[in-house]
């Protein structure tokens, strides 16, 4: 924080842009408003879950589905445990950071593990979900973040290399089917864990014309969180972050209040 009397600490979980220019400016404005900021920057593979390739000509889709689901749950767990480790580190090295308000913010792809983080390391004064959904694998399969759009060029490159330990690489439609089934098996995603944090003080922010997070996910998360206070903007997914730059004073004022508010 750049002020003499810090208000507390914000733990900010980044979007798929891995701390974009807009997010850096957002963090700077939070600092100028008196907040210490801890940034959670998960590995890039969290957003681009590895796609399995088959080691025999027949292939084993059941194993592949479980592989994808396990990989995604490991990433959710990694964010949760790494946050706990970071908080333990702050207790030893910067206890003043934790002496006042503690806020957990998850933006876009970074929000999918926010309930897991909150459950692993409780005692947050407020939780803010920005452009959040319920299931990242499902969002991927529906082309959020452009995982499948335009064909998967890298798959064609791998095919051209003809790796000796890979007998067959699934087609794009087969990969889509794998993602659809794996999304049903993940256990630590926000859609499943959201009800477990529904009594927390939560603010849900999203755009009404979001083309990245499927509309049914936006709609499903709201009741799963027990209808917390919600701010909506007539904007698309990426423009919400720009809007928040303007609304930092408003958000700062909300964070300084106490008590849960609902619709």
């Amino acid at each position: 924080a750049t002020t003499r009397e810090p208000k507390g600490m914000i733990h900010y979980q980044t979007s798929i842009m891995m701390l974009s220019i807009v997010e850096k400016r957002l963090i700077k404005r939070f600092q100028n408003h008196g907040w210490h900021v801890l940034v959670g920057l998960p590995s890039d593979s969290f957003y681009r879950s590895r796609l399995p390739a088959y080691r025999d000509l027949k292939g084993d889709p059941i194993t592949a589905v479980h592989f994808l689901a396990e990989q995604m749950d490991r990433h959710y767990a990694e964010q949760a445990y790494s946050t706990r480790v970071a908080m333990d580190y702050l207790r030893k090295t910067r206890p003043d950071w934790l002496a006042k308000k503690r806020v957990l913010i998850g933006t876009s792809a970074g929000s999918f593990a926010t309930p897991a983080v909150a459950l692993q390391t409780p005692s947050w004064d407020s939780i803010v979900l920005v452009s959040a959904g319920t299931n990242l694998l499902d969002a991927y399969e529906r082309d959020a973040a452009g995982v499948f759009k335009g064909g998967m060029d890298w798959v064609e490159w791998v095919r051209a290399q003809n790796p000796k330990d890979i007998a067959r690489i699934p087609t794009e439609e087969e990969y889509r089917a794998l993602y659809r089934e794996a999304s049903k098996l993940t256990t630590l995603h926000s859609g499943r864990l959201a009800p477990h944090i529904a009594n927390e003080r939560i603010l849900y922010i999203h755009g009404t014309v979001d083309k990245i997070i499927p509309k049914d996910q936006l709609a499903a998360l709201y009741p799963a969180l027990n209808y917390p206070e919600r701010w909506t903007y007539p904007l698309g997914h990426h423009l919400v972050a720009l809007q928040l730059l303007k609304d930092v004073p408003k958000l700062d004022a909300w964070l300084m209040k106490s008590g849960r508010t609902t619709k």
Side-chain angles (χ1 to χ4, degrees):
T2 59
T3 56
R4 293 185 177 181
E5 294 294 333
K7 299 172 180 177
M9 186 210 72
I10 292 174
H11 175 42
Y12 181 82
Q13 297 184 147
T14 68
S15 72
I16 200 171
M17 301 302 290
M18 307 295 284
L19 196 58
S20 64
I21 293 176
V22 172
E23 290 175 293
K24 289 180 180 179
R25 291 176 179 172
L26 183 64
I27 287 171
K28 184 64 177 178
R29 293 193 183 182
F30 277 129
Q31 291 173 320
N32 291 339
H33 276 78
W35 295 93
H36 300 303
V37 182
L38 172 69
V39 175
L41 190 67
S43 62
D44 182 68
S45 61
F46 175 79
Y47 304 123
R48 298 173 181 83
S49 189
R50 288 183 291 169
L51 296 176
Y54 299 134
R55 298 181 184 278
D56 58 75
L57 293 176
K58 183 179 179 181
D60 184 0
I62 295 178
T63 299
V65 164
H66 282 274
F67 171 85
L68 278 174
E70 181 182 1
Q71 286 295 308
M72 186 53 68
D73 274 341
R74 284 177 181 270
H75 285 304
Y76 294 141
E78 179 184 31
Q79 276 197 286
Y81 285 123
S82 63
T83 298
R84 188 178 72 179
V85 170
M87 297 292 279
D88 287 342
Y89 175 78
L90 289 177
R91 287 189 186 94
K92 296 177 182 178
T93 61
R94 296 179 175 86
D96 57 302
W97 278 39
L98 306 179
K100 297 182 180 179
K101 287 186 176 292
R102 305 179 192 181
V103 177
L104 175 60
I105 300 178
T107 295
S108 190
S111 70
F112 286 88
T114 297
V117 170
L119 291 170
Q120 182 61 226
T121 308
S123 300
W124 300 97
D125 291 281
S126 300
I127 298 173
V128 182
L129 296 166
V130 182
S131 300
T134 56
N135 192 306
L136 190 55
L137 283 177
D138 174 67
Y140 278 167
E141 193 279 325
R142 291 194 259 175
D143 279 336
V147 172
F148 293 100
K149 284 182 179 177
M152 295 182 289
D153 295 338
W154 69 269
V155 170
E156 297 305 324
W157 179 85
V158 172
R159 284 195 177 100
Q161 303 305 308
N162 191 26
K164 295 181 180 179
D165 60 337
I166 296 177
R168 188 175 76 85
I169 298 174
T171 65
E172 182 172 315
E173 182 48 45
E174 286 177 315
Y175 273 135
R176 287 181 179 274
L178 292 176
Y179 267 70
R180 286 194 293 270
E181 293 304 311
S183 68
K184 302 174 185 177
L185 298 180
T186 52
T187 60
L188 300 180
H189 58 80
S190 50
R192 179 165 293 187
L193 296 185
H196 295 284
I197 64 169
N199 291 326
E200 300 291 333
R201 184 171 188 266
I202 297 173
L203 175 60
Y204 183 28
I205 302 173
H206 67 84
T208 57
V209 288
D210 193 321
K211 301 296 184 182
I212 301 296
I213 303 299
K215 291 186 181 300
D216 57 337
Q217 288 198 22
L218 291 170
L221 186 59
Y222 188 43
L225 295 169
N226 193 24
Y227 304 98
E229 182 167 344
R230 178 168 64 170
W231 298 353
T232 60
Y233 299 98
L235 300 171
H237 188 82
H238 299 294
L239 290 180
V240 171
L242 287 172
Q243 179 66 39
L244 284 183
L245 282 177
K246 177 182 177 182
D247 284 353
V248 166
K250 178 183 176 183
L251 183 54
D252 173 66
W254 186 89
L255 295 176
M256 292 305 296
K257 296 178 182 178
S258 60
R260 180 182 171 90
T261 53
T262 58
K263 64 176 181 179

